[in-house]
Amino acid sequence: MTNRLRKPYIAGNWKMNLDRSKCLALVKVIKGRLRDGNDREVGVFVPSLYLADVSAVAQGSPLGIGSQNMWFEDSGAFTGELAARMLREVGADRVLVGHSERRQLFQEPDSWMSKKLRNSLDHDLLPIYCIGETLDERKANRTDRTIKRQLESGFETLRAEETHRITIAYEPIWAIGTGETATAEQVAAVHKMIRRWLVQRFGEPAANMVRILYGGSVKPDNAKQLMAIDEVDGLLVGGASLQAETFLPIIEFDAR
Ligand code: PEP
């Protein structure tokens, strides 16, 4: 059994899936099943176009509503982008930063990450900072180096007193959407390494405020086992968050 220092956090990333009516219906079901939010935090990261409607439905419940991406300037000539303050305006209270699909498909460089994290915090949009290695990096024993590089670049401007507002998601890229989950040993080893890095950077009390989630082919049948790993504070769920039948059992994992 885990001895939790931090409130568990279950997050669903809907990516570019679900049309408006399906988003609204799913939020309604999740809202109906959430209790007071005292023993776990739940958030969904929805297509930005539907943020206003989805957050209106979620109103009055502890369900967090987030964007899957943001730009780091407040306004200007950035065609197609959305500022943190705009996302706040339509009801988002959180944001994903550095998801591997953004890094890989849209070539988002490390150098944007600290600016995005800085701007999201400045606008009270709570970030989940996604990091993780490719299969080639793991095979070449470069997992630690990759993770540390992503931590260094993301946390460049962050201060110890801000760590309680930050969540990290460790998502090995080879496990995302592949049905392949990292083993408990692999997850624990990387999460421990991240925590050690945070302690060195911020000191122990501040480092202990940061939640570290695992993401990569989380399903109802492996969620409890993943949450039983001491170092895992929560889960970032892609495919299994798209349907109530698979997402609710993950949200409702037995914390005992
Ligand atoms: C993700 O996109 O962050 C993710 C973990 O996806 P999946 O659960 O489908 O692997």
Side-chain angles (χ1 to χ4, degrees):
M1 194 184 112
T2 56
N3 179 18
R4 295 195 183 284
L5 272 179
R6 297 162 286 271
K7 188 195 274 197
Y9 183 1
I10 309 293
N13 175 14
W14 293 353
K15 313 193 184 190
M16 203 178 74
N17 294 304
L18 303 182
D19 59 21
R20 181 178 171 279
S21 64
K22 288 203 171 108
C23 286
L24 298 182
L26 187 48
V27 163
K28 214 176 276 179
V29 175
I30 298 168
K31 176 182 176 179
R33 286 283 278 268
L34 279 190
R35 288 186 284 266
D36 53 17
N38 283 340
D39 70 338
R40 65 198 67 199
E41 182 171 340
V42 179
V44 285
F45 293 82
V46 309
S48 299
L49 190 61
Y50 306 141
L51 276 169
D53 294 338
V54 165
S55 47
V57 173
Q59 193 96 45
S61 86
L63 178 63
I65 302 296
S67 168
Q68 300 166 11
N69 188 27
M70 58 167 279
W71 187 238
F72 54 75
E73 302 280 356
D74 289 343
S75 62
F78 303 105
T79 303
E81 288 294 337
L82 296 168
R85 62 173 184 83
M86 295 171 171
L87 298 168
R88 284 289 289 160
E89 214 175 2
V90 291
D93 65 354
R94 57 199 69 204
V95 64
L96 295 181
V97 171
H99 190 278
S100 65
E101 284 149 22
R102 300 297 321 167
R103 293 181 192 260
Q104 294 209 303
L105 299 173
F106 302 97
Q107 268 96 53
E108 290 204 9
D110 283 339
S111 60
W112 288 0
M113 300 305 150
S114 68
K115 294 178 183 160
K116 289 191 176 207
L117 288 172
R118 177 76 270 138
N119 194 265
S120 69
L121 291 173
D122 288 348
H123 291 279
D124 216 12
L125 204 55
L126 300 179
I128 296 183
Y129 181 44
C130 304
I131 57 178
E133 81 286 4
T134 63
L135 188 56
D136 284 349
E137 287 166 333
R138 176 159 284 271
K139 283 184 177 161
N141 284 325
R142 293 207 322 267
T143 299
D144 284 18
R145 204 186 311 170
T146 299
I147 299 291
K148 281 180 187 160
R149 191 197 72 231
Q150 292 168 335
L151 289 168
E152 294 286 352
S153 54
F155 282 59
E156 211 173 272
T157 66
L158 304 189
R159 301 181 293 271
E161 60 271 24
E162 295 175 307
T163 52
H164 66 286
R165 301 166 70 207
I166 296 162
T167 300
I168 292 172
Y170 167 54
E171 300 202 294
I173 293 170
W174 47 274
I176 296 180
T178 59
E180 198 166 332
T181 319
T183 65
E185 291 71 31
Q186 289 170 327
V187 175
V190 176
H191 280 225
K192 269 187 196 149
M193 189 262 292
I194 295 171
R195 185 73 61 197
R196 277 197 302 272
W197 186 92
L198 291 168
V199 170
Q200 274 183 353
R201 175 80 163 76
F202 297 112
E204 195 150 344
N208 282 340
M209 307 290 266
V210 180
R211 284 180 291 190
I212 308 176
L213 317 185
Y214 167 78
S217 298
V218 175
K219 306 282 178 240
D221 58 6
N222 60 19
K224 185 172 176 176
Q225 185 201 348
L226 287 162
M227 286 305 296
I229 301 169
D230 274 335
E231 292 76 14
V232 172
D233 300 315
L235 303 167
L236 178 53
V237 187
S241 70
L242 295 174
Q243 287 177 324
E245 304 83 74
T246 44
F247 196 40
L248 292 176
I250 298 175
I251 293 173
E252 294 171 347
F253 79 94
D254 182 357
R256 283 170 301 152

